[in-house]
């Protein structure tokens, strides 16, 4: 698997005629995934809607991996969660939309995604006392007890550590996702050849490999959007906390962010933007292949659309690919070499930002430890 700073070599490209039609591609999905992903949630009973999503995800939180029952799980729209600041009511059940839009999350992760808390209950155990834990809980209205309340260096150290750990895991997962994305053109081409030649299906059949890759791409994208949004909420809570700095200096007054904490938040936020850009580039790859980034369904029964197109299966609008179109081509064709190069450069940017973040995290940790 390539490291965070690089992606796999560009796979060999085949003639466009070898690509599968939208109808053929949909037929590659396994019966279990087809039953779930082709089920339109719109118009269904709310409990039935949740069951469709929970069943596909095997009643397991797609962010932390915790298994649960109906009462301890929630269905979240990954597109709404990813669109921070939209004001979407995330507690609304999936009454409309395609099931591929939603992901299963546990109650604890849902609380983080909804901005109700910055840290999970099991992580709170490391904080000293319930009073300290409450500093990280969101409330609708501030209470008298909240007035003037500050976060100690020990509590802040715990939250920073958990945030950097989650973000580090997300960086690694995004790098793997980028590598997976670069395999899509060759696998679609191989599946098209196999379909055109009517080869007998077996375990090594390219169509089987494509179906598995398509499912992995869709599921990984959902979990990555949850992970990125979770780190966003943790960083927001860090920015809002009243930190009881050890001493005021010329650069900071009591209640203000110290330079070390401000530098950490700035760099961590910059890294978040880079991770979102990598997911966006992956979505542009699928659009260039004529596939939906949300459900991997075909966007058209004929040629690959030249402009953003609504997916006939899930209704999402495909990504814009005009930046990567090859000039002089008879039909819309994406220059995957340039697109993969952009992914590689963005991964290198993420790697460089991660190194700077490590330095700033170390400086902040030193400050917090010395203050304890």
């Amino acid at each position: 698997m390539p490291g965070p700073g690089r992606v796999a070599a560009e796979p060999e490209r085949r003639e466009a005629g070898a690509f599968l039609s939208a109808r053929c591609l949909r037929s590659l999905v396994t019966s279990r995934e087809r039953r779930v992903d082709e089920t339109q949630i719109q118009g269904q009973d709310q409990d039935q809607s949740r069951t469709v999503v929970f069943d596909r995800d095997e009643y397991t939180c797609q962010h932390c991996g915790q298994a649960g029952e109906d009462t301890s799980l929630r269905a979240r729209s990954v597109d709404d969660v990813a669109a921070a600041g939209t004001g979407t009511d995330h507690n609304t059940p999936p009454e409309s939309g395609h099931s591929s839009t939603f992901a299963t999350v546990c109650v604890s992760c849902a609380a983080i995604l909804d901005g109700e808390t910055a840290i999970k209950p099991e992580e709170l155990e490391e904080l000293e006392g319930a009073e300290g834990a409450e500093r990280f809980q969101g409330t609708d209205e501030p209470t008298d007890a909240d007035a003037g309340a500050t976060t100690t260096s020990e509590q802040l150290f715990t939250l920073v550590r958990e945030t950097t750990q989650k973000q580090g895991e997300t960086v690694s997962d995004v790098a793997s996702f980028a590598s997976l994305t670069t395999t899509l053109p060759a696998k679609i081409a191989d599946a098209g050849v196999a379909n055109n030649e009517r080869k007998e299906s077996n375990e090594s059949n390219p169509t089987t490999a494509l179906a598995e890759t398509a499912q992995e791409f869709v599921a990984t994208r959902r979990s990555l959007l949850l992970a990125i949004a979770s780190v966003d909420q943790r960083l927001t809570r860090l920015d809002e906390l009243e930190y009881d700095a050890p001493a005021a200096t010329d650069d900071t007054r009591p209640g203000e962010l110290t330079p070390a904490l401000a530098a950490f938040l700035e760099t961590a936020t910059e890294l978040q933007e880079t991770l979102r850009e990598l997911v966006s580039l992956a979505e542009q790859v699928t659009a260039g292949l004529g596939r939906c980034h949300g459900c991997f369904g075909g966007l058209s029964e004929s040629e690959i659309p030249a402009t953003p197109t609504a997916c006939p299966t899930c209704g999402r609008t495909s990504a814009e690919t005009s930046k990567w179109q090859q000039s002089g081509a008879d039909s819309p064709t994406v220059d995957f070499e340039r697109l993969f190069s952009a992914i590689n450069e963005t991964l290198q940017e993420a790697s460089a930002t991660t190194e700077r973040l490590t330095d700033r995290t170390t400086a902040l940790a030193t400050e917090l430890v010395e203050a304890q």
Side-chain angles (χ1 to χ4, degrees), residues 261-283:
L261 179 55
F264 165 80
L265 289 172
E266 178 184 6
T267 309
T269 301
E270 179 183 341
L271 181 56
Q272 288 291 98
E273 292 300 323
T274 305
L275 297 179
R276 272 187 282 270
E277 175 63 17
L278 283 165
V279 174
S280 175
L281 288 170
E283 294 173 352

Side-chain angles (χ1 to χ4, degrees), residues 157 160 164 167 259-268 271 350-368:
F157 180 89
V160 168
T164 54
Q167 191 174 43
L261 179 55
F264 165 80
L265 289 172
E266 178 184 6
T267 309
L271 181 56
S351 180
T353 305
T354 300
E355 290 182 5
R356 287 192 290 111
L357 181 60
T358 299
D359 293 338
R360 295 186 173 185
T361 303
T362 301
L364 176 58
T366 300
E367 175 185 286
L368 295 176

Side-chain angles (χ1 to χ4, degrees), residues 318-329:
S318 61
E320 174 65 64
T321 60
S322 59
K323 180 179 180 180
W324 314 109
Q325 295 292 334
Q326 292 182 349
S327 59

Side-chain angles (χ1 to χ4, degrees), residues 177 180-181 184 212-222 279 282-283 285-286 292-294 296:
F177 181 61
L180 172 69
T181 300
L184 295 178
E212 294 173 350
T213 301
Q215 293 172 30
E216 183 181 359
F217 178 92
V218 170
T220 302
R221 175 184 172 273
R222 281 195 296 260
V279 174
E283 294 173 352
V285 170
T286 58
C292 172
H293 57 263
F296 216 78

Side-chain angles (χ1 to χ4, degrees), residues 169-191:
E169 293 171 355
T170 305
V171 169
S172 178
D173 290 342
V174 169
S176 297
F177 181 61
S179 180
L180 172 69
T181 300
T182 64
T183 69
L184 295 178
K187 288 187 176 180
I188 288 180
D190 287 342

Side-chain angles (χ1 to χ4, degrees), residues 134-333:
E134 290 172 356
R135 297 283 187 272
F136 301 97
Q137 306 297 316
T139 56
D140 294 333
E141 297 181 1
T143 64
D144 293 338
D146 294 327
T150 57
T151 303
T152 67
S153 56
E154 293 91 343
Q155 295 162 355
L156 185 58
F157 180 89
T158 298
L159 184 53
V160 168
R161 184 186 63 193
E162 296 298 335
T163 300
T164 54
Q165 177 183 341
K166 299 300 181 185
Q167 191 174 43
E169 293 171 355
T170 305
V171 169
S172 178
D173 290 342
V174 169
S176 297
F177 181 61
S179 180
L180 172 69
T181 300
T182 64
T183 69
L184 295 178
K187 288 187 176 180
I188 288 180
D190 287 342
V193 170
N195 181 70
N196 292 339
E197 296 179 357
R198 300 181 182 278
K199 292 182 177 179
E200 183 178 353
S201 177
N202 53 59
E203 292 185 357
S204 61
N205 192 302
T207 58
T208 302
L210 174 59
E212 294 173 350
T213 301
Q215 293 172 30
E216 183 181 359
F217 178 92
V218 170
T220 302
R221 175 184 172 273
R222 281 195 296 260
S223 64
L224 283 178
L225 292 179
L226 293 175
I228 293 172
S230 173
V231 174
D232 281 342
Q233 291 291 0
R234 292 170 185 263
L235 291 174
T236 297
R237 185 65 68 185
L238 270 170
D239 189 38
E240 294 173 347
L241 288 175
E242 292 289 337
Y243 170 41
D244 186 14
T249 67
D250 293 338
D251 298 324
T252 181
R253 294 187 298 274
E256 289 186 345
L257 296 179
T258 66
L261 179 55
F264 165 80
L265 289 172
E266 178 184 6
T267 309
T269 301
E270 179 183 341
L271 181 56
Q272 288 291 98
E273 292 300 323
T274 305
L275 297 179
R276 272 187 282 270
E277 175 63 17
L278 283 165
V279 174
S280 175
L281 288 170
E283 294 173 352
Q284 292 170 56
V285 170
T286 58
L289 294 168
R291 314 301 165 192
C292 172
H293 57 263
C295 70
F296 216 78
L299 298 174
S300 173
E301 291 290 351
S302 55
E303 65 181 19
I304 297 175
T307 58
T309 303
C311 173
T313 301
C314 71
R316 286 184 181 86
T317 300
S318 61
E320 174 65 64
T321 60
S322 59
K323 180 179 180 180
W324 314 109
Q325 295 292 334
Q326 292 182 349
S327 59
D330 295 334
S331 60
T333 304

Side-chain angles (χ1 to χ4, degrees), residues 8-203:
E10 179 191 1
E12 179 184 356
R13 296 203 300 275
R14 311 295 175 82
E15 294 298 325
F19 282 72
L20 290 172
S21 68
R23 181 175 301 172
C24 289
L25 183 64
R26 284 195 291 269
S27 70
L28 296 176
V29 184
T30 64
S31 59
R32 176 174 172 275
E33 285 291 331
R34 181 168 59 248
R35 174 172 57 82
V36 173
D37 285 341
E38 291 186 358
T39 300
Q40 295 292 337
I41 293 182
Q42 187 171 8
Q44 291 187 6
D45 176 81
Q46 292 181 5
D47 290 337
Q48 181 183 2
S49 302
R50 290 190 181 93
T51 300
V52 168
V53 178
F54 295 164
D55 183 59
R56 181 201 63 207
D57 295 337
E58 298 181 345
Y59 288 81
T60 301
C61 177
Q62 297 303 288
H63 180 45
C64 71
Q66 177 180 331
E69 302 295 334
D70 289 25
T71 56
S72 63
L73 298 173
R74 301 289 183 268
R76 286 291 182 269
S77 167
V78 294
D79 296 322
D80 288 342
V81 167
T86 60
T88 301
D89 180 6
H90 298 310
N91 289 319
T92 302
E95 297 175 342
S96 62
H98 192 263
S99 60
S100 63
T101 304
F102 299 90
T104 302
V105 295
C106 65
V107 172
S108 296
C109 287
I112 292 177
L113 293 169
D114 294 345
E116 297 173 0
T117 182
I119 197 165
K120 296 182 68 174
E122 54 267 31
E123 298 166 352
L124 285 171
E125 294 177 0
E126 299 189 31
L127 301 176
E128 295 183 359
E131 182 179 355
E134 290 172 356
R135 297 283 187 272
F136 301 97
Q137 306 297 316
T139 56
D140 294 333
E141 297 181 1
T143 64
D144 293 338
D146 294 327
T150 57
T151 303
T152 67
S153 56
E154 293 91 343
Q155 295 162 355
L156 185 58
F157 180 89
T158 298
L159 184 53
V160 168
R161 184 186 63 193
E162 296 298 335
T163 300
T164 54
Q165 177 183 341
K166 299 300 181 185
Q167 191 174 43
E169 293 171 355
T170 305
V171 169
S172 178
D173 290 342
V174 169
S176 297
F177 181 61
S179 180
L180 172 69
T181 300
T182 64
T183 69
L184 295 178
K187 288 187 176 180
I188 288 180
D190 287 342
V193 170
N195 181 70
N196 292 339
E197 296 179 357
R198 300 181 182 278
K199 292 182 177 179
E200 183 178 353
S201 177
N202 53 59
E203 292 185 357

